[in-house]
Amino acid sequence: MTSKENLIADALKWIGWAWLAIGLLLGMIHFTAELPGDPAKNHQGLIAFAYAAGGVMWCAIFLGFSEVVGLLQGIYNQGERKRMPSSALKQKVKEKTPYEIVNEPPYDYEKEIKNYYFTHNRFVDSIERTVIEDIFKVKIKGEVEYIELGGFKPVVLSEEAYNKLLE
């Protein structure tokens, strides 16, 4: 999962493990208890098994819900763009050389950018990574554009819009 955890998923996980422990504990207590009357008619083993099986079943249900909530949190986290505070971003720009800040984008991002411009009958000369994640600098016939890939479809940003993001 991503770096952001979900408290609901954690709580569901703990509840699931608690159900398992309680079910197994009640099963063992009932199985080892000496009940009055005929042991053959008490169905002690069957009732103990029912407690244990119930604990296992509820544990599985709660762990399953916990996993679903965790996966949904991961999907949500993928949609968020990771940004640094502007002061930290400016400090990072000052400390690093241009080569360290701007380098080649990953292949799948490069492919997505080139396909986007190809559908608009434009051909990309070069693509460079910027200091903001999911925003790339694209050169087309000497002109510079910035494109953001963080959403459902690419968004072209002007240089002014990009500079505002840096502030």
Side-chain angles (χ1 to χ4, degrees), residues 33-54:
E34 293 188 24
L35 299 174
D38 186 11
K41 293 183 180 178
N42 286 338
H43 303 290
Q44 197 169 352
L46 187 61
I47 295 171
F49 176 76
Y51 278 124

Side-chain angles (χ1 to χ4, degrees), residues 59-72:
C59 175
I61 288 171
F62 275 93
L63 289 179
F65 280 135
S66 168
E67 186 65 22
V68 168
V69 171
L71 291 172
L72 288 172

Side-chain angles (χ1 to χ4, degrees), residues 135-146:
I135 296 182
F136 298 90
K137 180 179 178 180
V138 180
K139 290 184 182 176
I140 302 170
K141 295 184 181 178
E143 295 180 18
V144 175
E145 290 183 359
Y146 293 91

Side-chain angles (χ1 to χ4, degrees), residues 49-112:
F49 176 76
Y51 278 124
V56 169
M57 179 194 69
W58 282 109
C59 175
I61 288 171
F62 275 93
L63 289 179
F65 280 135
S66 168
E67 186 65 22
V68 168
V69 171
L71 291 172
L72 288 172
Q73 181 69 44
I75 291 169
Y76 175 78
N77 291 346
Q78 286 178 351
E80 289 186 350
R81 186 169 69 219
K82 296 175 186 115
R83 284 194 188 165
M84 291 182 184
S86 61
S87 59
L89 184 63
K90 288 176 185 175
Q91 185 64 31
K92 182 178 178 181
V93 170
K94 287 178 186 176
E95 292 174 355
K96 295 196 172 202
T97 65
Y99 180 76
E100 291 174 307
I101 296 171
V102 183
N103 52 17
E104 293 184 12
Y107 175 75
D108 53 339
Y109 287 169
E110 182 178 351
K111 186 177 175 183
E112 185 177 355

Side-chain angles (χ1 to χ4, degrees), residues 28-35 44:
M28 286 190 304
I29 289 171
H30 195 77
F31 188 72
T32 58
E34 293 188 24
L35 299 174
Q44 197 169 352

Side-chain angles (χ1 to χ4, degrees), residues 3-23:
S3 62
K4 295 180 184 175
E5 295 298 323
N6 189 302
L7 294 177
I8 302 298
D10 292 340
L12 289 172
K13 201 176 294 183
W14 282 105
I15 291 170
W17 290 118
W19 269 104
L20 178 65
I22 290 169

